[in-house]
Amino acid sequence: MSYGTFWVLVAAVALIVEIISLGLSSIWFTGGGIVAAIIGYAGGPLWLQITAFIVVSTILLLVMRPLAKKHLAIGQEKTNTDSLIGRTEKVLTTIDNSAGTGMLRLGDVEWRAVSDDGSVIPEGTLVTIQRLEGTKLFVKRELSNF
């Protein structure tokens, strides 16, 4: 068996492991194996094949994995509370951070609301939920309300 064939097998095994696990853990070695196989079939020395495999796999892992995780949302499961972010709702009671007042109703549940920028937001105003901390919704006044 030639070194090129060996590297093709390494790439294939890494790809199969990735398909089974779907964890973005071994796909990078597939790229390294392919580059090493090309060098092997071209007659390059073994040290160059090994070096190319390590360098290409490492570069793919360090550069592409963070981008892939961000775009594919690997390991990031949305919860019910995450689905609240970005929703537009009407203020139930005036939001005044300094007075400690402010409520929104989401379905059958009333939530404590806080103005994200510290401004007072009157009852009936449309707001967008920016984030959630504990049981407090941080909201921002909708632009159409100005």
Side-chain angles (χ1 to χ4, degrees), residues 12-24:
V13 167
L15 183 60
I16 290 168
V17 168
E18 183 62 36
I19 290 169
I20 292 169
S21 70
L22 295 174
L24 291 178

Side-chain angles (χ1 to χ4, degrees), residues 104-125:
L104 294 180
R105 178 174 284 132
L106 304 176
D108 296 337
V109 180
E110 290 185 4
W111 289 76
R112 169 110 164 75
V114 177
S115 173
D116 204 31
D117 62 4
S119 64
V120 175
I121 305 174
E123 179 181 328
T125 304

